[in-house]
Amino acid sequence: MVGAVFLSEGIQKFLFADTLGAGRFEKIGLPSPEFLGSFVGGFEIVCGLLILVGLFTRLASIPLIIIMLVAIVTTKSEVLAEKGFWEMMHGSRTDWSMLLGSIFLLIKGGGFWSADKILKKNGE
């Protein structure tokens, strides 16, 4: 699911740039929103695909962890300040799920049928 969600979100940053890509980054106040929207979207697509096939799973999870940490800090800190802890937690449930899923993949790596596992088995 982690790979599928990041792949989907990355594609949407290009398809709907005004609301989910550069436009959203500009609204949040991030610098160079045009570049950053494409940069983040590209990483989400590539890393999402790598995780889906289980290739370089641990390595691919690192940029996704960084993306989720930045997303939580830039989009949820204002909600926390204005509406409180529980509203922030409710609004960030998907962000936390994606962050924790990515951390799990960093620790555990690819699964039994992953390309990482197949490559490791063939290398022995």
Side-chain angles (χ1 to χ4, degrees):
M1 279 310 303
V2 171
V5 170
F6 276 111
L7 174 61
S8 170
E9 289 298 314
I11 291 170
Q12 291 179 68
K13 280 182 178 56
F14 290 99
L15 293 177
F16 311 108
D18 291 344
T19 54
L20 300 176
R24 176 139 171 83
F25 286 22
E26 184 175 13
K27 181 181 174 187
I28 294 169
L30 295 175
S32 305
E34 291 291 330
F35 168 76
L36 206 52
S38 298
F39 184 76
V40 170
F43 263 97
E44 288 178 341
I45 291 168
V46 171
C47 294
L49 282 169
L50 288 171
I51 286 173
L52 276 173
V53 299
L55 182 62
F56 307 121
T57 304
R58 286 188 167 110
L59 184 61
S61 69
I62 295 170
L64 301 179
I65 291 168
I66 294 167
I67 288 169
M68 291 318 303
L69 287 171
V70 171
I72 290 169
V73 169
T74 58
T75 63
K76 301 309 184 268
S77 57
E78 186 176 322
V79 175
L80 176 63
E82 292 178 7
K83 297 183 180 180
F85 177 77
W86 292 113
E87 185 70 26
M88 184 272 301
M89 289 303 291
H90 175 72
S92 63
R93 63 193 181 278
T94 304
D95 296 343
W96 287 108
S97 296
M98 297 310 297
L99 174 62
L100 294 174
S102 298
I103 291 171
F104 174 82
L105 292 171
L106 176 64
I107 294 167
K108 194 74 173 153
F112 184 74
W113 290 296
S114 69
D116 289 338
K117 183 86 168 185
I118 293 166
L119 291 173
K120 185 176 178 184
K121 188 184 295 184
N122 289 339
E124 292 177 356

